[in-house]
Amino acid sequence: MLSISPTYLLYYLPLIIAISLVFGATRHEDLSLILRHAFHTARWITGFMAVVFVLVLVLDWMV
C-alpha cells in the first residue's frame, strides 16, 4: 500500500500536539481552556485525516 516506513507515523504525535497547543493558545489565555481547545482541535484533525485515509484506501482498492 504505502512505500514509506511506519516510523514516519511517529512524527504525527508531536506535530499534532504542537499545532493544537499553538492554535489553542492563540484563542485563550487560561491554561485549562487552552488544553481543552487543544484536545478538541487534535481530535478534529485526527478525524479529518482518518476520513481522508479511508477515502484514499477505498479509491486504491477500486483502482
Side-chain angles (χ1 to χ4, degrees), residues 48-62:
F48 179 77
M49 289 180 66
V51 168
V52 169
F53 175 75
V54 168
L55 287 174
V56 169
L57 195 65
V58 167
L59 287 174
D60 181 51
W61 177 73
M62 290 174 63

Side-chain angles (χ1 to χ4, degrees), residues 3-56:
S3 63
I4 62 171
S5 173
T7 57
Y8 283 112
L9 292 176
L10 294 177
Y11 293 125
Y12 172 76
L13 288 177
L15 184 63
I16 286 298
I17 290 170
I19 290 170
S20 299
L21 285 175
V22 168
F23 191 66
T26 59
R27 305 266 184 228
H28 306 288
E29 291 185 9
D30 184 30
L31 183 61
S32 64
L33 290 175
I34 291 172
L35 293 177
R36 186 179 311 144
H37 194 269
F39 175 73
H40 292 296
T41 303
R43 189 173 56 176
W44 185 85
I45 292 172
T46 302
F48 179 77
M49 289 180 66
V51 168
V52 169
F53 175 75
V54 168
L55 287 174
V56 169

